[in-house]
Amino acid sequence: MIIQRHLPYKGKLGTASLHTLFDSGATMSCIHPDKAKEIAIPVELPEKILVSITSEGHFLEIKEYVYLFFELEGHKLMDAFVIVPNLNAEVVIGVDTLQKYHCKLDFKEGSIWVEPSAGKLMLM
């Protein structure tokens, strides 16, 4: 199951409200190439990543990512989003981001819970 929201995103080039899918089956957070280039400057990965998609045996080559700020349930968060060619969504929030901010998805209610301390920087 998937939860959907429109969230505000901010990159080096500007801001946009993007249709976002929260997908507990997606390993990484990703963004459509057109949307990434509208608000941020893509950065080339040191190595290409081969990503398996739902079609068994089919892989996509990921070469770039963007780092974005976004707001979720009143929390200002930031993370890297890999740029996925032909992505069928504007943005997908994957498990990496969900775990980083201790988010919990309630698919029955369609709600998202974010750890109250999410987005607070801590230096150790």
Side-chain angles (χ1 to χ4, degrees), residues 13-110:
L13 299 177
T15 60
S17 176
L18 300 176
H19 185 251
T20 304
L21 306 179
F22 291 82
D23 185 352
S24 60
T27 307
M28 296 180 288
S29 294
C30 48
I31 187 168
H32 190 280
D34 295 342
K35 298 303 175 182
K37 292 171 184 166
E38 283 178 19
I39 61 173
I41 299 170
V43 176
E44 193 172 317
L45 290 164
E47 290 184 27
K48 297 174 191 170
I49 301 172
L50 285 180
V51 177
S52 172
I53 59 171
T54 53
S55 304
E56 199 168 312
H58 188 70
F59 292 88
L60 287 176
E61 193 173 81
I62 307 299
K63 300 176 185 176
E64 298 176 303
Y65 73 97
V66 290
Y67 210 79
L68 301 172
F69 289 86
F70 61 102
E71 192 169 326
L72 175 61
E73 304 297 320
H75 299 276
K76 293 185 184 220
L77 310 174
M78 58 185 172
D79 214 349
F81 294 79
V82 293
I83 299 173
V84 177
N86 303 314
L87 185 65
N88 61 357
E90 292 182 334
V91 178
V92 175
I93 299 285
V95 173
D96 59 345
T97 303
L98 295 172
Q99 288 179 344
K100 179 178 181 177
Y101 291 110
H102 307 283
C103 298
K104 293 187 175 126
L105 305 179
D106 183 337
F107 293 107
K108 185 177 178 183
E109 298 294 323

